[in-house]
Amino acid sequence: NWNMAGAVLFALLLTLKHLYLGLALWYFCYLLRIFCFVDNDKEQSGARQVFSLSRLILLGFVTVLTLLIPFLPFLSQQQLIQIAQRLFPFGRGLVH
């Protein structure tokens, strides 16, 4: 499924460059609409779509797993704090 591959690639993109966090909400809304709403086969009159909780859980699992895998070598608490401070330098401002 190309939508799932897109979710994996976007999650990997977020691990490479955190500036894409601003697009994450928009891409999530797109995936929610395209991937998590499926056609209802029981409805005869028109194309009624229903929300699929199982697809949302699958999408969340794949995304979280993709975001966690690159950080496995840094599971030490001290290293994760240092990564967060370098990604989001509130002390010196967020201007790059």
Side-chain angles (χ1 to χ4, degrees):
N1 190 343
W2 288 109
N3 293 319
M4 196 62 66
V8 168
L9 289 176
F10 189 75
L12 286 174
L13 179 67
L14 283 177
T15 61
L16 294 175
K17 191 67 176 169
H18 67 283
L19 292 175
Y20 291 104
L21 277 174
L23 297 174
L25 177 63
W26 300 107
Y27 194 63
F28 171 72
C29 291
Y30 168 77
L31 285 176
L32 188 67
R33 174 70 178 101
I34 297 297
F35 186 71
C36 295
F37 281 92
V38 294
D39 292 332
N40 188 1
D41 295 333
K42 298 175 187 174
E43 189 75 31
Q44 297 294 332
S45 61
R48 175 131 169 98
Q49 292 189 331
V50 294
F51 181 75
S52 172
L53 183 61
S54 62
R55 283 185 163 214
L56 178 66
I57 291 171
L58 177 65
L59 182 65
F61 177 74
V62 167
T63 304
V64 168
L65 186 66
T66 306
L67 287 171
L68 285 179
I69 287 174
F71 292 106
L72 283 178
F74 307 105
L75 282 182
S76 159
Q77 187 67 19
Q78 207 57 2
Q79 289 177 340
L80 287 178
I81 291 172
Q82 185 179 15
I83 289 172
Q85 288 174 346
R86 288 179 182 264
L87 285 176
F88 305 104
F90 292 110
R92 65 175 175 89
L94 294 176
V95 180
H96 284 73

